[in-house]
Amino acid sequence: MYLSLQEILETPKIRRLNIINSISGIKPGNLIGTRSKTGQSNLAIISSVVHLGSNPPFLGYVLRPVGDVPRHTFENIGETGYFTVNHIGPDFTERAHYTSAKFDKNVSEFEACGLTEEYQHGFHAPFVKESAIKMGLRHVESIPIKSSNTLMIVGKIEHLMVPDTAIDEAGQIDLETAGSVGISGLNSYYNLKKIGEFPYARVSEKPDFEQP
Amino acid sequence: MYLSLQEILETPKIRRLNIINSISGIKPGNLIGTRSKTGQSNLAIISSVVHLGSNPPFLGYVLRPVGDVPRHTFENIGETGYFTVNHIGPDFTERAHYTSAKFDKNVSEFEACGLTEEYQHGFHAPFVKESAIKMGLRHVESIPIKSSNTLMIVGKIEHLMVPDTAIDEAGQIDLETAGSVGISGLNSYYNLKKIGEFPYARVSEKPDFEQP
């Protein structure tokens, strides 16, 4: 199938949403945990977490346009400065998916969706007990992306937890062993099967690839 | 394993790079194709492509700090305004990986790594013939992310190609059928196995999850 920009713009809304949300490739399946000043917890599925830097350790995620969705997560981050990022596992993808329903602000998606709040290391925001890999982040900046009317929320990692079985001596995390899932589009979930690992690429050590 | 921010900062560099580059979860494996004004093509592996909007269709990717890496791709985008995003398939992950070696600017990674340039629809930048899913984008803005000293490069999709076998009536792309790969950290590659698909989440239609 080929589509030009004009044809994309003329595609019916739901079909366009599905195509464009899945065309970028696999997305990491994460849950963002927050808690308001008054103690109300919130949990939101998000597929736009992106690595920004290692030293210091920064992650970002993309927030949809103002007014488009309820933004309890964003409000809590604004109020308190803290959030957690928790990998979704294959045994709770459906529960994670339903955190995207528009619950009232006084409803905790943890309770509504059968997931468990966990408080550790004196951190204000709740971790997800069911997640194998999780991080606690402090909000550092929110960057407007004008063209798409979205916001990039940037946080610095203050705590991280990884199962010992899923990380090797070199610090590489095996996402198959950890049972982390990927997302395509708005509602499809994928398991990960490791197929290869290559050394740091140097021009002088490049294998002799044959032209196909 | 638990690490505090202080312990992350004290971790040896390579181990820290590996941990923080893989902690965000699976990343989409893409190749970015560009061509300079004088016709020199360039191809770069990138794992930070992120969906920004569907109407109009926007994608972004994160560029590492100025001076940190050769940025022929970025220079070509600046010169011409165009780039392509091409999914990496399981049969050419090693060739895709080696596009990250620091080739001179007058070397095309297409030729050096045994991949094939393809020009279509009068688009200036080269597509990757071996990729099943590919897009042609026009550069719309570059947004500095101060905290991490990185740039978010934003493009609007002007052309997209998806195999007919990998897209359904609703416009959902099956990344397992398409053979798209995911990346963890800097050098691990994963196949995708679809495990589930759930309807648009509505509070009134939420299943009765039992508390774990």
Side-chain angles (χ1 to χ4, degrees), chain B residues 79-150:
Chain B
E79 262 183 43
T80 68
Y82 293 102
F83 61 105
T84 66
V85 172
N86 309 268
H87 286 209
I88 298 170
D91 49 335
F92 59 100
T93 52
E94 190 177 16
R95 284 180 278 162
H97 180 75
Y98 273 89
T99 63
S100 63
K102 289 172 182 150
F103 295 103
D104 289 340
K105 194 172 178 181
N106 62 352
V107 172
S108 169
E109 290 81 4
F110 280 100
E111 198 177 338
C113 298
L115 292 162
T116 315
E117 296 177 48
E118 184 181 62
Y119 292 92
Q120 287 194 45
H121 308 290
F123 198 69
H124 178 80
F127 295 93
V128 177
K129 186 167 193 274
E130 288 79 3
S131 293
I133 296 179
K134 37 200 155 191
M135 292 149 266
L137 294 96
R138 188 168 61 76
H139 178 231
V140 294
E141 56 175 331
S142 296
I143 301 163
I145 304 176
K146 262 188 248 165
S147 52
S148 58
N149 190 26
T150 50

Side-chain angles (χ1 to χ4, degrees), chain A residues 1-5 8-9 15-28 30 48-55 57-59 62 87 93-95 97-98 100-103 111-114 116 121 130 133 135 140-141 143 145-148 150 152 154 156-162 164 167-176 182 184 187-203 205-207 209 211-212, chain B residues 1-5 8-9 15-28 30 48-55 57-59 62 87 93-95 97-98 100-103 111-114 116 121 130 133 135 140-141 143 145-148 150 152 154 156-162 164 167-176 182 184 187-203 206-207 209 211-212:
Chain A
M1 180 188 77
Y2 165 77
L3 293 177
S4 67
L5 174 58
I8 295 169
L9 298 175
R15 184 172 161 87
R16 182 178 56 236
L17 272 176
N18 285 329
I19 295 172
I20 305 300
N21 272 280
S22 48
I23 194 85
S24 57
I26 195 68
K27 304 186 280 192
N30 283 300
S48 59
V49 170
V50 65
H51 169 84
L52 293 175
S54 295
N55 188 25
F58 287 114
L59 295 185
V62 178
H87 286 208
T93 51
E94 190 176 16
R95 284 181 277 160
H97 180 74
Y98 273 91
S100 63
K102 289 173 181 146
F103 295 102
E111 200 177 338
C113 298
T116 316
H121 308 290
E130 288 78 4
I133 296 179
M135 292 148 266
V140 294
E141 56 175 330
I143 301 163
I145 304 176
K146 262 188 248 165
S147 52
S148 58
T150 50
M152 164 73 69
V154 180
K156 184 192 272 191
I157 302 174
E158 296 200 334
H159 306 276
L160 67 80
M161 284 154 269
V162 179
D164 292 336
I167 183 165
D168 70 12
E169 274 295 302
Q172 303 201 68
I173 298 171
D174 187 316
L175 297 174
E176 179 177 353
S184 168
N187 60 356
S188 296
Y189 295 83
Y190 290 77
N191 267 344
L192 310 173
K193 297 282 164 204
K194 191 163 172 182
I195 53 171
E197 190 178 311
F198 304 110
Y200 180 82
R202 293 178 206 279
V203 173
E205 295 166 5
K206 182 179 77 68
F209 300 117
Q211 284 287 347
Chain B
M1 181 189 76
Y2 165 76
L3 292 178
S4 67
L5 174 57
I8 294 169
L9 298 176
R15 185 173 161 86
R16 181 178 56 235
L17 271 177
N18 284 329
I19 294 172
I20 305 300
N21 272 281
S22 49
I23 194 84
S24 58
I26 195 69
K27 304 186 280 192
N30 283 300
S48 60
V49 170
V50 65
H51 169 84
L52 293 175
S54 295
N55 188 25
F58 287 115
L59 296 186
V62 178
H87 286 209
T93 52
E94 190 177 16
R95 284 180 278 162
H97 180 75
Y98 273 89
S100 63
K102 289 172 182 150
F103 295 103
E111 198 177 338
C113 298
T116 315
H121 308 290
E130 288 79 3
I133 296 179
M135 292 149 266
V140 294
E141 56 175 331
I143 301 163
I145 304 176
K146 262 188 248 165
S147 52
S148 58
T150 50
M152 164 73 70
V154 180
K156 185 192 272 193
I157 302 174
E158 296 200 334
H159 305 275
L160 68 79
M161 285 155 268
V162 179
D164 292 336
I167 182 164
D168 70 12
E169 273 297 302
Q172 302 200 70
I173 298 171
D174 187 317
L175 297 175
E176 179 178 352
S184 168
N187 59 356
S188 296
Y189 294 84
Y190 290 78
N191 267 344
L192 309 173
K193 295 283 163 203
K194 191 163 174 184
I195 54 172
E197 190 177 311
F198 305 111
Y200 180 81
R202 293 176 206 280
V203 173
K206 182 180 76 69
F209 299 116
Q211 284 287 344

Side-chain angles (χ1 to χ4, degrees), chain B residues 17-45:
Chain B
L17 271 177
N18 284 329
I19 294 172
I20 305 300
N21 272 281
S22 49
I23 194 84
S24 58
I26 195 69
K27 304 186 280 192
N30 283 300
L31 287 163
I32 302 215
T34 55
R35 190 163 56 129
S36 71
K37 267 187 176 166
T38 58
Q40 175 66 54
S41 63
N42 192 276
L43 192 63
I45 190 167

Side-chain angles (χ1 to χ4, degrees), chain A residues 71-82:
Chain A
R71 304 204 297 173
H72 307 148
T73 295
F74 180 63
E75 289 167 20
N76 289 344
I77 294 175
E79 262 183 44
T80 68
Y82 293 101

Side-chain angles (χ1 to χ4, degrees), chain A residues 26-68:
Chain A
I26 195 68
K27 304 186 280 192
N30 283 300
L31 287 162
I32 302 216
T34 55
R35 190 163 57 130
S36 72
K37 268 189 177 166
T38 59
Q40 175 66 53
S41 62
N42 192 277
L43 192 63
I45 191 167
I46 198 107
S47 61
S48 59
V49 170
V50 65
H51 169 84
L52 293 175
S54 295
N55 188 25
F58 287 114
L59 295 185
Y61 77 92
V62 178
L63 194 73
R64 289 165 58 190
V66 182
D68 202 32

